[in-house]
Amino acid sequence: MDAEFFRRWLTATARAVEREAGRLTELDSAIGDADHGANLRRGFQAVTEALAARDPQEPDTPGAVLTLAGRTLVSKVGGASGPLYGTLLRRTGKALGDAPEVSDAELRAALEEGVRAVGVLGKSEAGDKTMLDALFPAVAALAESYPAAGDAAARGAEATIPLRARRGRASYLGERSVGHEDPGAASSALLFATLAEVAGDVR
Amino acid sequence: MKMLMNVPERVVSDALRGMALAHPELVVDVDNRVIVRRDAPVAGKVGLVSGGGSGHEPLHGGFVGHGMLDAACPGEVFTSPVPDQMVRAAAAVDSGAGVLLIVKNYTGDVLNFDMAAELAEDEGVRIAKVLVQDDVAVTDSTYTAGRRGTGGTLFVEKLAGAAAEEGADLDRVAAIARQVADSSRSFGVALSACSTPAKGGPTFDLPDGELELGIGIHGEPGRERRAMMTSGEIADVAVDALLEDLRPDGPVLALVNGTGGTPLLELYGFNAEVQRVLTERGVAVARTLVGNYVTSLDMAGASVTLCQVDEDLLRLWDAPVSTPGLRWGR
C-alpha cells in the first residue's frame, strides 16, 4: 500500500463522516453534547484540504500522509475527538516510518501502536464505553482480513450500547449512559469500514 | 428553532467580529480565535489564559481585561479550543513572568490544554495550570472523568486575575487559583433544554412540568428529573447539595447565575431564596453576584456557586476589574 492508498482511505472516511454526521450527532445528543458529527465533519474536511494542498517537496509516503492528517485533526477539531483521532492517525503514521510502501502486517502493527496511544492519552481501557471498544477488536481482527476488521469495529460499537460510560462526558450520566451506542465508537467503526472498502477496491 | 444568526458554521466568527467592534480595548483575532487585552503583555505581570467551548458567554472572552484574564480562546460551540489557539494566546500575554492556564475539567479541554502547555513550554513560556472542577452534582470517582468545571471558573479567573494584577509571581497566582478552585462548589438546575446552532433545536428532551437537577453547562444531565418545583424548593435542594460538600467555616462569595434563558427578575427572586437557605444554615455571605455569567446558550435555569473566602481572597474580589462581562472599582 502506497501513499495514494492512504489518501483514498482518508477521503473515503471524510465522505463517510459527511454522510453519517447527523447520526453521530444524534448519538452524541443522547449521552454527550450533540456535536460529534459536526466536529468530525469539520476535521475530515480539513484533512481532505490539507492532503490536497500537500507540499510537493515533502516525501510522499503512507507515514507522511497519516501524520499530516493527524496533525490537522489536532489543530482543527478541538474537543476530545480532535486530540484522540489526531493521536491515532499521527502515531500510526509515525510507526509506519518513511517507507514508500507498507505491508498489511506493518499497517496492523502501526495501528496497534496508534490505538495504544489513544488509550494512554484518554486514560481509558476496553469496556469504558469509548472509541477503544471499536478500535481494539478492529485491530485484532486485522490479522484475519480488512472486512473482518470492519465488521469487528461495527460489532464493537454496537456492544457499547449496554455499557456504562466511565470516561468522557458520558461518564457523568452514570447508569443513564446505558442503552446508548457510544458516538466515538460509532465513528471509529466508520474508519474501519472505509479501510475495508478501500482495501477491497485494491484487491 | 429560530436563532439570530446567518449560518450555523459562522456563529462563533460572527460573534467575534461583533465583539471586536464593541470592545476596542480588546484585540480580537477572528481568524485565529484569540481574544487578548490590548495592553498585553503587561510588563512584569503573570499572564492568565483561559478558554473553552463557545456558548457560555460572557465566559471566557467577556472576562478579558484589567484584573481578570489576559487572553481567552473560544472554541466552537460546546467544543474545546485547539492547542494552536492557546499557544498563540500564551505567547501574546507572556511578559516573561509566566502564564497560568485556567482549565475547566472536561476531557476535551484537558487534552487540548495539556498539549498546548507542552508546546508553549517548548517555546520558552513558563506555564502553570489550574483545573476547575466545582460541580457537586456529579460524583468524583474512578468511574467518571471527575467533576465538571462550571461557575467556580468565574471566581478563579477574578481572584487569580486580581492577584496577578497586584504583582504576585506565577507560583503565588497559581496557588491562589488552586485555593479558589478547591474552595468553590456549584450546583445547577435546568428548566428547559439548550439548543445548539449545529443541531438547530434542543439537545435533550425536558418535558413541560419537569426540571433537571444537577444540570451541566452543556445540558448534560445531572442527578435526577423531578416534577417542577418552586424557586424556594429549588434553592433548598441546591444549597443543601453545596453545603453537604463544601462545609464552610467562614464567609462565602455567592454567584447566582443564569444559564441564558431565565430572566433577571426570576434570578433575583431565586437569589432571595438562596440567601434565605444560607441564613437558615448559618452561612454568612460576604458578597453576592447575580446575573448571566456562565451560560448554556438559551437554556432556562440557574446555578449557584459558593466560594469560601478569607480576608485576602475577599480583598482580591473587591479589587478593580474592567472587562466586558464584569466591571467595578475602576
Side-chain angles (χ1 to χ4, degrees):
Chain A
M1 293 168 285
D2 58 5
E4 184 53 32
F5 173 89
F6 287 91
R7 270 193 292 273
R8 276 208 303 277
W9 176 27
L10 293 168
T11 46
T13 303
R15 281 197 303 273
V17 166
E18 182 74 43
R19 196 178 62 232
E20 301 287 332
R23 183 174 69 92
L24 294 175
T25 290
E26 203 57 50
L27 291 174
D28 195 25
S29 68
I31 58 172
D33 56 356
D35 62 3
H36 189 53
N39 285 343
L40 271 197
R41 181 163 61 189
R42 211 157 38 75
F44 274 94
Q45 268 169 6
V47 166
T48 308
E49 284 161 24
L51 291 175
R54 190 185 69 85
D55 180 353
Q57 304 296 316
E58 292 280 313
D60 193 21
T61 64
V65 168
L66 291 184
T67 308
L68 174 63
R71 273 208 319 269
T72 305
L73 290 177
V74 169
S75 63
K76 296 290 182 200
V77 180
S81 51
L84 291 170
Y85 272 104
T87 295
L88 172 63
L89 296 184
R90 202 170 55 87
R91 290 294 286 274
T92 303
K94 272 178 118 170
L96 287 176
D98 50 14
E101 290 198 21
V102 298
S103 68
D104 294 343
E106 284 164 338
L107 176 57
R108 190 172 82 234
L111 277 167
E112 266 171 21
E113 200 162 320
V115 171
R116 218 175 7 247
V118 170
V120 171
L121 183 65
K123 301 187 180 72
S124 300
E125 293 167 15
D128 283 349
K129 195 174 182 115
T130 70
M131 57 196 284
L132 291 175
D133 293 318
L135 293 176
F136 281 136
V139 171
L142 270 182
E144 196 185 319
S145 71
Y146 289 104
D151 292 344
R155 277 198 309 275
E158 216 170 291
T160 62
I161 294 174
L163 295 180
R164 176 187 165 152
R166 283 192 292 234
R167 285 287 173 264
R169 216 166 269 174
S171 70
Y172 300 125
L173 285 163
E175 285 300 327
R176 285 204 265 172
S177 66
V178 172
H180 300 279
E181 183 174 344
D182 180 67
S187 55
S188 291
L190 286 183
L191 191 66
F192 277 86
T194 55
L195 179 61
E197 188 186 302
V198 172
D201 291 346
V202 175
R203 270 138 239 254
Chain B
M1 163 93 45
K2 287 179 280 188
M3 292 185 192
L4 186 58
M5 63 180 181
N6 294 314
V7 290
E9 294 74 23
R10 288 222 322 269
V11 161
V12 176
S13 307
D14 286 351
L16 290 177
R17 284 194 299 118
M19 197 170 178
L21 294 165
H23 297 286
E25 72 277 17
L26 304 177
V27 179
V28 181
D29 182 340
V30 178
D31 291 334
N32 294 303
R33 301 207 167 170
V34 179
I35 300 165
V36 184
R37 57 190 271 189
R38 190 165 287 283
D39 57 352
V42 180
K45 192 183 94 69
V46 169
L48 269 71
V49 172
S50 192
S54 293
H56 307 303
E57 292 68 23
L59 185 85
H60 296 271
F63 297 147
V64 174
H66 179 93
M68 220 162 161
L69 295 177
D70 292 86
C73 312
E76 288 294 322
V77 171
F78 290 177
T79 301
S80 94
V82 298
D84 303 19
Q85 290 168 267
M86 301 154 189
V87 172
R88 193 178 287 268
V93 306
D94 182 33
S95 66
V99 173
L100 175 69
L101 303 178
I102 298 169
V103 187
K104 300 198 297 303
N105 189 32
Y106 297 96
T107 306
D109 293 73
V110 170
L111 293 180
N112 284 283
F113 270 104
D114 278 355
M115 289 183 154
E118 261 181 55
L119 294 168
E121 277 168 347
D122 287 349
E123 289 181 10
V125 180
R126 276 203 305 141
I127 296 285
K129 272 184 300 188
V130 59
L131 198 59
V132 186
Q133 34 190 347
D134 56 318
D135 188 345
V136 302
V138 290
T139 45
D140 182 9
S141 77
T142 47
Y143 299 106
T144 69
R147 282 185 166 169
R148 304 176 292 215
T150 60
T153 316
L154 180 146
F155 289 138
V156 174
E157 293 179 358
K158 170 67 181 85
L159 298 170
E165 208 70 60
E166 283 186 355
D169 66 12
L170 181 60
D171 288 347
R172 177 80 189 127
V173 173
I176 286 171
R178 288 190 191 108
Q179 183 192 346
V180 176
D182 288 346
S183 310
S184 298
R185 300 288 187 283
S186 296
F187 188 90
V189 297
L191 311 185
S192 76
C194 52
S195 300
T196 59
K199 190 143 190 263
T203 58
F204 61 101
D205 184 40
L206 184 53
D208 249 9
E210 289 183 27
L211 85 169
E212 177 88 30
L213 294 174
I215 194 79
I217 58 172
H218 310 92
E220 314 95 300
R223 286 191 179 176
E224 57 172 325
R225 287 267 164 98
R226 281 215 208 149
M228 188 55 195
M229 299 152 70
T230 66
S231 169
E233 290 163 345
I234 295 170
D236 282 320
V237 170
V239 173
D240 281 343
L242 293 172
L243 295 184
E244 203 170 286
D245 207 89
L246 183 62
R247 302 177 188 284
D249 53 13
V252 298
L253 305 174
L255 166 63
V256 173
N257 174 64
T259 52
T262 289
L264 206 46
L265 182 74
E266 294 175 28
L267 290 179
Y268 274 115
F270 183 50
N271 179 49
E273 295 296 338
V274 167
Q275 307 266 343
R276 169 189 58 78
V277 187
L278 285 168
T279 306
E280 285 168 9
R281 304 288 184 273
V283 177
V285 179
R287 301 285 185 274
T288 301
L289 188 64
V290 179
N292 291 285
Y293 292 102
V294 182
T295 59
S296 308
L297 295 167
D298 61 342
M299 190 161 83
S303 64
V304 183
T305 304
L306 300 179
C307 172
Q308 183 173 352
V309 289
D310 52 23
E311 269 179 30
D312 200 34
L313 291 185
L314 196 54
R315 181 178 53 75
L316 292 172
W317 178 254
D318 289 336
V321 59
S322 180
T323 69
L326 209 60
R327 189 184 296 255
W328 59 67
R330 195 161 181 260

